[in-house]
Amino acid sequence: MGVKKILNNLRGIIGLSWSLTKANFKLRNEGSYLGLFWYLLYPLLMFVILFTIKGALYKNTSIEFYPAYLMLGLIVYNFITGTLSSSINLMLSNKHFIKSMNINKNSLILANVLQTTFSHVFEFFLFFVLLLITGVPLINIFFYPLVFILIFFFLIGISSIFSIIGSYIYDLKNIWTIVSGILLFVTPVAFIIQKNTSLETINQFNPLYYYITLSRELIIYSRIPSQEIIWGAIICSLVFFIIGTLIFNKFKRKLAEVV
Amino acid sequence: MEKNIILEAREIVKEFSIETKSQSLLAKILKEILTKSQKKKIRVIDKVNLDLRKGELLGIIGRNGSGKSTLLKILAGIYYPGEGSIKCKKEPLYLSGWGQGLQQRLSVKDNIFLLGSINGLSQRDIRKKFREIIDFAGLRDFVEAKVEHLSSGMITRLTFSIGIHCLEHKKPELLLLDEVFGAGGDLEFQRKALEKTEALIKTGITIILVTHNLDLIQKYCNRCIWLENGRIKMQGEPEKVVEDYTKSFS
């Protein structure tokens, strides 16, 4: 396949993904009285709850710039778990396209990630306001696109896997609800992980840990993250992107019959 | 593959499972443990061979459930063949009929942009074609109306208009058409739809046409296939095939 054809294919996928994203965005907000406010309500509520819990249970544990620490952890967690949650039913909810048209199915994956990126941008606005209020330097926010690109590729890969498994096994939705709940408390979203604990060992296998820590180090604490965190995030993105794409391309031709 | 053959299908077989879907993981595991029986399958396409020459217009007819649409979807790449092989020199463009792919809760305008994109047009191309699509469908006063509020005739007009204008723009070399001739629209629209289709045929494009409209088959097709129970019952001159097919109902 020539470079020109690859570029044309890529342009086609991006164009279609954009159309699907816009359509899904309209469908999601259709008839909603509060509209975009709903995008902010959930992270705000979670922030208040976790902030209160931390204040009550861990009075002696001091975390510098805690409000920003918590909010950034929450929005990265929401971005990843929210995208995966919607990717499980992705093929089923688009079966009217898959069964009747020769739609590029990779576009459905990209559109889903783009759609949750919208929510992520709104949530990031909350974080920005919090930085202003708490006096954390704003300049480092320009590092976030680097972290975002890594998360984006990770999400494309793992969403591809989830969408395929979700098409075959309906239970994945329920399993993921439980797993994502556990992840909220295993991942250092609201708390700090102590050194040399079992939780630290577990998090070495948790991609969310790398992305959340990477973003906090760069944006809130103005520090260059450790080699382990940088390479952990890069490897997670690359490995999941490659494996996810391979799995999706292998199974996508059967989707019209499965959904 | 011969030089002038654009599509070659050999010994195509397609089976579908006719069991109730039980995709709960627990149900799947229990079923595997408790039942030893083979999965019930129905053979929808049974060893079909097909060659399509460049510029040829091949009609496929048959009763409901004979496998026409499934065969077309296999050739389009929507379904994969269970057995057999398909060689295709040109990327086929598949269009199917009534209301396919329309999002009921989106407006006419949004659906035009969405289906245009799915059919491979860029946003800029769709913007250029937008007025033509709307005018052809006769839906100028319904641009912002949701599709769920349109009548069935309006939906037919909209689907056909989007499809045919996408085709005009993309100019594919191989076209797979599944009942797309505006049936369900009023007489005026059917006339317009036929004119558009005739203009498309005259461009010399290679087409496989699945339809119940036998007049259309006789008028335009070079060759006709009669499909019955997933097998080719007869193929050849459209007049002869249509005649025998019609007799089979008496």
Side-chain angles (χ1 to χ4, degrees), chain B residues 206-219:
Chain B
T206 313
I207 300 177
I208 300 183
L209 175 65
V210 163
T211 181
H212 289 288
N213 187 337
L214 302 177
D215 292 338
L216 215 60
I217 296 276
Q218 286 178 306
K219 190 171 177 188

Side-chain angles (χ1 to χ4, degrees), chain A residues 19 26 30 102 170-171 257, chain B residues 23 25 76 117 123 146:
Chain A
S19 295
K26 283 184 181 175
E30 180 211 19
N102 207 351
Y170 291 177
D171 288 338
E257 290 162 42
Chain B
Q23 284 176 298
L25 185 59
S117 295
Q123 298 287 301
K146 285 184 185 173

Side-chain angles (χ1 to χ4, degrees), chain A residues 59-224:
Chain A
K59 280 179 190 164
N60 300 327
T61 315
S62 168
I63 300 173
E64 197 184 6
F65 302 122
Y66 184 69
Y69 176 96
L70 174 60
M71 183 57 90
L72 188 55
L74 259 178
I75 64 172
V76 173
Y77 167 84
N78 278 347
F79 184 30
I80 293 174
T81 54
T83 307
L84 293 183
S85 194
S86 54
S87 69
I88 293 169
N89 273 344
L90 191 59
M91 298 301 150
L92 283 168
S93 55
N94 285 291
K95 69 175 178 185
H96 54 291
F97 290 136
I98 294 170
K99 279 182 173 293
S100 65
M101 307 176 93
N102 207 351
I103 187 171
N104 189 320
K105 295 167 193 80
N106 298 76
S107 296
L108 295 172
I109 299 287
L110 184 56
N112 182 49
V113 180
L114 284 176
Q115 199 190 333
T116 46
T117 300
F118 270 130
S119 322
H120 185 57
V121 169
F122 289 118
E123 291 180 4
F124 203 82
F125 173 74
L126 274 183
F127 174 66
F128 181 78
V129 171
L130 209 66
L131 289 184
L132 280 176
I133 295 169
T134 52
V136 178
L138 292 172
I139 187 76
N140 298 322
I141 218 161
F142 293 106
F143 284 115
Y144 191 68
L146 293 175
V147 184
F148 176 80
I149 289 168
L150 290 174
I151 298 176
F152 193 83
F153 278 97
F154 167 73
L155 283 176
I156 293 284
I158 196 163
S159 294
S160 303
I161 300 170
F162 269 49
S163 67
I164 292 291
I165 300 174
S167 306
Y168 284 89
I169 301 167
Y170 291 177
D171 288 338
L172 184 62
K173 185 101 189 153
N174 298 322
I175 296 169
W176 178 244
T177 307
I178 297 166
V179 172
S180 59
I182 295 169
L183 271 176
L184 179 62
F185 295 100
V186 170
T187 313
V189 172
F191 314 105
I192 277 186
I193 291 177
Q194 302 300 328
K195 291 276 178 198
N196 302 321
T197 57
S198 55
L199 210 53
E200 192 192 25
T201 314
I202 291 169
N203 270 293
Q204 284 176 346
F205 302 97
N206 177 8
L208 273 78
Y209 165 71
Y210 295 103
Y211 299 122
I212 289 174
T213 312
L214 186 66
S215 50
R216 278 176 181 154
E217 292 289 300
L218 286 170
I219 298 169
I220 302 174
Y221 301 116
S222 310
R223 293 191 294 244
I224 295 173

Side-chain angles (χ1 to χ4, degrees), chain B residues 170-225:
Chain B
K170 277 208 78 176
K171 297 185 175 64
E173 290 184 61
L174 174 57
L175 190 55
L176 310 176
L177 298 177
D178 190 356
E179 290 290 4
V180 289
F181 294 100
D186 53 34
L187 284 175
E188 168 66 12
F189 183 75
Q190 285 188 37
R191 184 190 56 76
K192 279 201 309 181
L194 209 58
E195 277 174 15
K196 273 273 181 196
T197 312
E198 279 177 359
L200 188 76
I201 289 167
K202 283 173 187 166
T203 60
I205 185 174
T206 313
I207 300 177
I208 300 183
L209 175 65
V210 163
T211 181
H212 289 288
N213 187 337
L214 302 177
D215 292 338
L216 215 60
I217 296 276
Q218 286 178 306
K219 190 171 177 188
Y220 297 111
C221 293
N222 315 111
R223 190 159 57 100
C224 181
I225 286 178

